[in-house]
Amino acid sequence: MSTTTSHTPEHEGPSRPPTRLIQNEATTEIPVHLLFRDEPEPRPVPLAPAVVGSRTGTGEQPRLRRPAAVKSRPMAEVDPALVERPARVLPGAAGVAAGLCGAAGCVATSWWAGILPPLVTEALRLPAYSGAGLGPAQWAAYAGAGALGLFGLGGLARGRTGHAWVLDLFGRYRGTVRRTGLLWVNPLLLRRRADVRLRHWRSEPMPAADGNGMALRVVALVVWRVRDTARATLGVEDHETYLRECVEAAFARIPVETPGSVRFSVEATGEALTRRVARDAGAIGLEVYSVQPVRVEYAPEVAPAMHRRRIAALDAQHRATVLTSVVDSVEDTVTRLTMRGLVELDDYERKALVKDLTVAFCAGRGEQSP
């Protein structure tokens, strides 16, 4: 039997363990591109303070901070300068006085021109005067007195509780009148009546969806009022239409649970809808107090299928209840018979008795159920 002896070449020294490419023994993973580089890469630039979680000598790639959350969508906003402010008006007595002065001026001019009827002259106890005729002076007096009377009487307005007048002149907002009673408003101003009372609006069936995306039809009751008459009247074309569209948009974004669902909560759904509609409608001066769904039903295209599903669920629940009641009754009967020593049963007889009792109880419950 021959023995093979290995000799170490003279030009080689004693065997040494190979040098590790990476000195840190805690390395868990090595990027592949670092092992096959032909040219040395430039020295890396120090990372910004946004780099977190990097550990020296582990070969782990630095982890960057997550980008900041996306800002929420901007809220709707009308002209910031369009804010309600009180308009300048006068008491109604000023308009009445101006109208009477204009009428008196017309009568005096007619007497001056000599065209006043004798009956009127006698009724007013005016002195007899032949008259100077209708000349330029008389026509100018007629124009001034008539303008004064029309300007005074034409500016009379009646302010009512719960209503306001929004005034603008040639497209420029001039103020809001919330006063009540007889008032005098500049007749050159355009008046827009605004209802500032607390109002209830019951919507028509609107499209919505539940948490599972099932199509619904919802009727909502909205409690609201006009807070800023300038924005509500001049900020949009029709603030009632705008409010209705805000409610429709809220139903499209917020799921509405049906009364039969486990997560159904009228308060939670109403609060979410109210917050959404109040934020959207507040930009045009509307104040929304409550948005409550008063009727929730499935859309016509899915209503038959959901009705069958609900009947099947109720039937399954009824069967489970009946079976539980039957099992409890059978168990109680068998336990009483054996505990009192009325019968002695082996396994086969016990199974047969349980089977017979179950059939009997199920038949009895079936006859009792409608």
Side-chain angles (χ1 to χ4, degrees):
M1 181 175 183
S2 62
T3 305
T4 304
T5 305
S6 62
H7 299 281
T8 304
E10 294 179 359
H11 62 276
E12 294 181 2
S15 61
R16 293 178 299 174
T19 305
R20 296 193 301 270
L21 296 177
I22 299 178
Q23 298 295 335
N24 190 359
E25 296 180 356
T27 300
T28 56
E29 57 182 49
I30 303 175
V32 176
H33 68 278
L34 297 178
L35 301 178
F36 300 93
R37 292 184 300 176
D38 296 333
E39 296 180 1
E41 294 182 359
R43 186 174 181 180
V45 180
L47 296 174
V51 178
V52 296
S54 59
R55 291 178 289 179
T56 306
T58 61
E60 182 181 355
Q61 294 296 323
R63 293 174 296 176
L64 301 179
R65 291 183 184 273
R66 294 182 177 179
V70 180
K71 294 183 179 180
S72 58
R73 62 182 179 91
M75 295 179 59
E77 185 177 0
V78 298
D79 185 5
L82 190 60
V83 181
E84 179 181 330
R85 62 178 183 270
R88 298 178 180 178
V89 295
L90 297 177
V96 174
L100 294 178
C101 290
C106 291
V107 172
T109 303
S110 299
W111 175 80
W112 180 25
I115 60 174
L116 191 67
L119 295 178
V120 178
T121 303
E122 294 177 0
L124 296 177
R125 297 180 181 180
L126 295 175
Y129 181 69
S130 59
L134 292 175
Q138 286 77 14
W139 286 115
Y142 268 127
L148 178 62
L150 294 177
F151 199 75
L153 298 178
L156 293 177
R158 182 170 60 94
R160 295 188 298 170
T161 303
H163 294 81
W165 292 102
V166 180
L167 309 179
D168 69 275
L169 179 62
F170 304 119
R172 184 180 179 183
Y173 175 62
R174 305 298 296 177
T176 300
V177 180
R178 288 181 177 260
R179 295 171 57 180
T180 58
L182 187 62
L183 306 172
W184 184 85
V185 183
N186 187 348
L188 299 179
L189 299 177
L190 179 62
R191 310 174 192 177
R192 303 173 186 265
R193 182 176 293 276
D195 191 345
V196 296
R197 295 174 295 182
L198 187 66
R199 303 167 68 180
H200 291 74
W201 172 57
R202 186 183 181 94
S203 70
E204 66 277 1
M206 295 183 175
D210 61 4
N212 299 324
M214 194 66 63
L216 302 174
R217 289 293 183 271
V218 182
V219 176
L221 182 63
V222 184
V223 182
W224 64 287
R225 73 177 181 92
V226 175
R227 176 176 49 85
D228 192 315
T229 57
R231 293 191 172 189
T233 306
L234 305 177
V236 291
E237 183 176 359
D238 186 0
H239 59 271
E240 295 184 5
T241 303
Y242 184 87
L243 177 63
R244 179 168 58 252
E245 293 174 352
C246 288
V247 175
E248 292 180 357
F251 278 124
R253 297 179 61 89
I254 298 176
V256 179
E257 300 299 332
T258 56
S261 62
V262 179
R263 296 175 296 175
F264 175 72
S265 176
V266 177
E267 290 77 11
T269 304
E271 289 178 1
L273 292 171
T274 303
R275 287 194 300 267
R276 172 72 65 174
V277 177
R279 186 182 66 177
D280 294 342
I284 64 166
L286 301 185
E287 191 169 6
V288 179
Y289 296 98
S290 174
V291 180
Q292 293 291 336
V294 294
R295 191 178 69 187
V296 181
E297 58 186 13
Y298 288 102
E301 59 270 17
V302 300
M306 297 307 299
H307 181 67
R308 291 192 297 268
R309 178 186 295 183
R310 180 173 297 181
I311 292 177
L314 293 175
D315 184 65
Q317 183 179 2
H318 175 69
R319 291 176 181 274
T321 303
V322 171
L323 181 59
T324 302
S325 177
V326 168
V327 170
D328 293 340
S329 301
V330 170
E331 181 183 6
D332 183 62
T333 302
V334 174
T335 302
R336 289 187 178 185
L337 290 175
T338 55
M339 291 295 294
R340 295 182 181 181
L342 299 178
V343 293
E344 294 183 2
L345 304 173
D346 54 11
D347 294 340
Y348 177 79
E349 293 174 343
R350 181 184 294 274
K351 293 179 180 179
L353 179 59
V354 169
K355 179 181 178 180
D356 296 339
L357 290 176
T358 303
V359 173
F361 287 157
C362 287
R365 294 298 177 90
E367 294 177 358
Q368 293 177 3
S369 61

